[in-house]
Amino acid sequence: MDPQLFGFQYCPKEHRMLLDALASELQLVATAQFDPLREVTAVTHDSRVAGPGTAFVAVPGFHHDGMKFVPDAVARGTNVVVCAQLPAEFLPDVTYIVVPDVRIALALMARILNGKPDEQLRMYGITGTNGKTSTAYFLSSILRHAKRRVGVMGTIGFDLDGKIIETPNTTPEAPILHDLLRTAVEGGTEDVIMEVSSHSLQLERVAGMSFDVAMFTNLTEDHLELHGTMEAYFDAKRRLFEHAAAGYSIVDVGGEWGARAAGLIEATGARVVRVGCPGDAVDVRPENIATDLDGTTFDLVTSSGTVPVRLRALGGYHVRNALLAAAAAMTQGYALETIAEGLGEAEPVPGRLERVLNEDGLDVFIDYAHTTDALHSCLEAVRALSDAPITLVFGVLGDRIPRLRREMGTVAAAGADHIILTEDDLKAGSFEEVVADVAPALDEAGVAWERIDNRWDAIAAGIERARQGDIVIIAGKGHEKQLILADGQGAIHLDEMAAAKEAIAGRDPRVLDPREECEKSRHKLIS
Ligand SMILES: CC(=O)N[C@H]1[C@@H](OP(=O)(O)OP(=O)(O)OC[C@H]2O[C@@H](n3ccc(=O)[nH]c3=O)[C@H](O)[C@@H]2O)O[C@H](CO)[C@@H](O)[C@@H]1O[C@H](C)C(=O)N[C@@H](C)C(=O)N[C@H](CCC(=O)O)C(=O)O
Ligand SMILES: Nc1ncnc2c1ncn2[C@@H]1O[C@H](COP(=O)(O)OP(=O)(O)OP(=O)(O)O)[C@@H](O)[C@H]1O
């Protein structure tokens, strides 16, 4: 087994179980060469990490049918195969088990073989298009303030009390997920906060798990390449709440989809906490929001009382995320004062309207906005802070459909005074295609813009041309440290905080007008 296959050290631990006992937890359609006394120590969906004692689950993937990797798994020592249908010929000494849904079987087996770690932890699950990481961040600050030992799994990996274990996905495949949760249990973790992606719900990575609290941030267009329609995307997200039927569901009802989700969950008899906007008739809402460059204050108004909160994070969207975190903590019995103190202790969320501190009098922010709604929220949040001209350095993911690329352009043009269009992760697309879709939206809006392909140069140019008091927003990559090139070309290291600081340090002190500069270089290819 190559433990580096997943891009991180994945070494499944050994947990012994007789096949008979394991199979009794699955729905069996058929078996062949069944040996009930066979010992199973681990399960995997990837033949490359199979070994003696590992059951191999043949998953029909987007590119390959896992059945074609059965011989590879068997060659590495596997003697139990779980599949969707029996093959025409059986390999000698291999037990075959047919189940109705292999992905569900994979998740159930991984959970059982790891001792159902979710049952030994207080589990908080967060789903939604935007705000999952930030909400997790706020909630972890509250729980840590209450002296709980907390793990946070999501876009940034698995943070176990400050030690980050890299993960291949936001919500990893079940064998990795349960292995990590078991590690957390063994290390004394009490609470785990998990970002639960729509991919993971659709692909049954969390099947069988139970959550004490499930949270819904919002839903806007994203990931339709997998889900097809917004209805299907919504339906995938909504499934998280089936895993919290006995717990609490916290829903931001500020948007159309949230309100719908809350209604549907309530109809199942589950307990729902509605989080909303100032003035709303909901269970948890903010009042008296005030924000400046040092942070955001608001009153947290709940059915159990009101408490003032001060966040070090900037921007209105963080109020929504903090409210969800507060509501989640309330369901678990934490006092409002503890919640307010915990939120107050939260460091600014890395890459989510994160300020690049400097002595040049520039307000430079890094934000992870890479969807239209996120970009809108980001620009709106910054506009609420200041009337100064905004230079926006941004790109669009190459695998976004043309309509979404255009919409990103429209949102950018509506919120910024000067735009530098640059590369973001390209993956299946090319930057030429991105520019072809975004440029007409920028031109139509009449905003001053230019194209600088190289993202470092774009950041440097945005900062170089800014005058004292101006605002520069670098949107798209946030905390991430790499830029993914077009398919097959790999990725390159990119630390936007470092790039911005370097640009500020080397900045020409001459005062330049970004709009004049832009007129001069309009549509000019710089890189
Ligand atoms: C689109 C998607 O979700 N793809 C997932 C899918 O890959 P696939 O269907 O293409 O796999 P495949 O290559 O066809 O292979 C089929 C099966 O054969 C196995 N195999 C393959 C090769 C081999 O030698 N031996 C072997 O056994 C594979 O492990 C797989 O089980 O099945 C694989 C395992 O079964 C996943 O690891 C893979 O996630 C990849 C890593 C991925 O990037 N997923 C992303 C899109 C994702 O999940 N993202 C969400 C968050 C998104 C967001 O919110 O931004 C996430 O939770 O991270
Ligand atoms: N509640 C919100 N409503 C709208 N936009 C938001 C909200 N919270 C965050 N954002 C925007 O989304 C960006 C990403 O935030 P965050 O990482 O918390 O979300 P996420 O759901 O974890 O994203 P991803 O799934 O892409 O990792 C932020 O930088 C900000 O621009």
Side-chain angles (χ1 to χ4, degrees):
M1 175 187 81
D2 175 1
Q4 288 292 355
L5 261 180
F6 292 98
F8 73 113
Q9 288 285 342
Y10 171 55
C11 300
K13 295 184 202 73
E14 291 225 335
H15 326 294
R16 298 178 184 282
M17 201 163 172
L18 288 184
L19 182 57
D20 204 21
L22 190 56
S24 71
E25 304 264 358
L26 305 175
Q27 228 183 311
L28 301 192
V29 174
T31 58
Q33 304 182 161
F34 190 77
D35 173 4
L37 298 181
R38 202 148 277 193
E39 201 172 52
V40 180
T41 55
V43 64
T44 185
H45 58 286
D46 194 320
S47 63
R48 293 164 291 185
V49 293
T54 309
F56 175 68
V57 180
V59 172
F62 292 98
H63 300 96
H64 304 285
D65 182 352
M67 279 308 274
K68 98 176 180 204
F69 303 110
V70 170
D72 182 36
V74 170
R76 293 172 196 262
T78 287
N79 59 12
V80 174
V81 170
V82 179
C83 46
Q85 61 188 103
L86 289 174
E89 284 177 29
F90 303 139
L91 293 170
D93 195 35
V94 173
T95 283
Y96 292 87
I97 296 176
V98 179
V99 292
D101 187 317
V102 284
R103 288 188 189 273
I104 293 179
L106 173 69
L108 297 183
M109 289 168 78
R111 180 170 181 260
I112 294 163
L113 282 163
N114 283 287
K116 300 186 181 171
D118 51 308
E119 282 184 355
Q120 297 163 62
L121 295 159
R122 189 172 290 173
M123 296 292 306
Y124 297 85
I126 309 174
T127 200
T129 309
N130 296 307
K132 299 182 291 299
T133 303
S134 311
T135 303
Y137 206 81
F138 288 127
L139 181 54
S140 68
S141 184
I142 297 172
L143 298 177
R144 284 179 179 144
H145 177 70
K147 302 277 180 278
R148 302 281 291 181
R149 296 199 58 193
V150 184
V152 184
M153 191 184 295
T155 319
I156 51 158
F158 192 21
D159 175 350
L160 274 181
D161 282 327
K163 180 173 169 270
I164 310 275
I165 304 174
E166 268 185 61
T167 54
N169 296 66
T170 299
T171 316
E173 294 292 340
I176 300 167
L177 169 60
H178 288 289
D179 192 65
L180 290 170
L181 292 180
R182 185 184 166 111
T183 303
V185 170
E186 287 170 354
T189 297
E190 298 164 292
D191 302 335
V192 166
I193 307 166
M194 249 181 83
E195 291 182 43
V196 187
S197 66
S198 60
H199 281 75
S200 72
L201 289 157
Q202 176 92 13
L203 301 176
E204 305 290 2
R205 293 178 194 157
V206 295
M209 281 180 73
S210 54
F211 287 87
D212 297 281
V213 182
M215 290 172 255
F216 180 94
T217 60
N218 48 57
L219 193 83
T220 51
E221 192 168 331
D222 205 5
H223 300 313
L224 294 194
E225 74 293 345
L226 175 73
H227 302 290
T229 62
M230 281 301 283
E231 279 297 327
Y233 180 36
F234 172 68
D235 216 47
K237 295 269 186 208
R238 196 174 56 80
R239 289 179 56 196
L240 174 63
F241 298 91
E242 292 166 9
H243 296 264
Y248 289 88
S249 298
I250 321 285
V251 183
D252 183 336
V253 294
E256 172 206 344
W257 295 100
R260 236 179 103 184
L264 289 168
I265 302 162
E266 270 161 357
T268 66
R271 288 172 291 196
V272 176
V273 179
R274 289 169 177 254
V275 171
C277 303
D280 286 354
V282 287
D283 304 302
V284 177
R285 67 175 200 275
E287 292 294 350
N288 306 317
I289 302 174
T291 184
D292 60 30
L293 287 165
D294 293 323
T296 308
T297 56
F298 63 95
D299 290 331
L300 171 63
V301 181
T302 77
S303 40
S304 332
T306 298
V307 69
V309 173
R310 170 154 200 97
L311 298 179
R312 289 175 63 194
L314 308 173
Y317 70 74
H318 277 312
V319 174
R320 312 195 70 85
N321 302 331
L323 285 183
L324 284 168
M330 281 178 69
T331 65
Q332 302 306 300
Y334 294 101
L336 284 182
E337 289 66 29
T338 308
I339 291 170
E341 284 161 14
L343 288 173
E345 278 175 13
E347 296 283 328
V349 192
R352 275 74 181 167
L353 266 195
E354 189 178 12
R355 258 182 111 180
V356 183
L357 298 176
N358 65 86
E359 287 167 4
D360 281 22
L362 297 178
D363 290 319
V364 182
F365 300 94
I366 292 179
D367 193 80
Y368 194 38
H370 52 269
T371 65
T372 47
D373 189 52
L375 190 60
H376 172 75
S377 300
C378 160
L379 287 162
E380 190 180 59
V382 173
R383 186 46 79 220
L385 292 170
S386 157
D387 287 333
I390 296 178
T391 293
L392 173 68
V393 179
F394 91 115
V396 182
L397 299 173
D399 58 5
R400 286 284 187 270
I401 58 171
R403 177 174 56 75
L404 285 181
R405 291 185 193 149
R406 275 195 299 280
E407 281 177 22
M408 285 291 275
T410 305
V411 168
D417 302 284
H418 169 226
I419 288 170
I420 300 180
L421 180 60
T422 188
E423 288 182 352
D424 201 317
D425 291 346
L426 286 174
K427 297 181 185 168
S430 75
F431 190 50
E432 294 307 327
E433 288 164 349
V434 168
V435 174
D437 290 325
V438 178
L442 300 178
D443 285 337
E444 199 174 304
V447 69
W449 74 277
E450 63 192 295
R451 161 187 172 161
I452 302 182
D453 297 31
N454 182 297
R455 208 166 158 105
W456 279 272
D457 293 347
I459 292 170
I463 287 172
E464 173 70 18
R465 289 166 202 178
R467 295 184 298 182
Q468 255 200 357
D470 277 6
I471 293 171
V472 180
I473 303 174
I474 305 161
K477 298 298 297 173
H479 66 294
E480 289 184 345
K481 295 283 181 282
Q482 59 173 19
L483 184 69
I484 303 174
L485 306 174
D487 266 356
Q489 293 177 38
I492 45 174
H493 180 75
L494 170 69
D495 180 338
E496 298 211 324
M497 181 58 81
K501 284 189 170 158
E502 197 179 291
I504 292 168
R507 190 167 163 265
D508 188 333
R510 280 174 308 150
V511 175
L512 301 167
D513 184 330
R515 284 151 300 276
E516 281 171 21
E517 284 300 302
C518 177
E519 280 311 310
K520 276 190 246 156
S521 61
R522 200 171 161 90
H523 301 206
K524 195 172 82 182
L525 176 64
I526 292 189
S527 77

